[in-house]
């Protein structure tokens, strides 16, 4: 099967500076890797271990990998800072 695509909480959009974005995958034991520079995430990207603090406009791209499953689709979540 396929690994569940990561979800971001809160969802993409305008957030206040310092908001912490949590990533999760519904697949048990999945590891999530992410990028903040717009590049495509891979298993060489940063491993998600703690919520990501958003202090400037950023696009989080994340992909989940689980043993025995194919890689998930890529989550693309663009955040902006509320004025």
């Amino acid at each position: 099967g396929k690994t569940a695509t990561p979800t971001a909480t809160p969802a993409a959009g305008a957030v206040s500076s310092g908001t912490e974005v949590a990533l999760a995958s519904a697949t048990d034991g999945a590891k999530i890797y992410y990028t903040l520079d717009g590049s495509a995430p891979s298993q060489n990207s940063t491993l998600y271990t703690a919520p990501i603090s958003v202090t400037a406009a950023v696009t989080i791209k994340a992909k989940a990998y689980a043993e025995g499953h194919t890689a998930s689709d890529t989550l693309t979540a663009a955040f902006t800072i509320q004025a």
Side-chain angles (χ1 to χ4, degrees):
K2 194 171 200 174
T3 309
T5 304
T7 55
T9 307
V15 296
S16 52
S17 183
T19 295
E20 300 217 319
V21 177
L23 302 180
S25 169
T27 303
D28 279 347
K31 288 189 165 129
I32 299 171
Y33 294 85
Y34 69 93
T35 65
L36 302 177
D37 62 2
S39 63
S42 71
Q43 285 174 294
N44 295 322
S45 303
T46 306
L47 175 64
Y48 174 79
T49 55
I52 302 157
S53 182
V54 175
T55 55
V58 67
T59 297
I60 298 171
K61 292 195 174 186
K63 204 164 183 169
Y65 297 84
E67 209 168 317
H69 294 67
T70 54
S72 74
D73 292 331
T74 301
L75 162 77
T76 301
F79 292 89
T80 56
I81 301 301
Q82 284 170 343

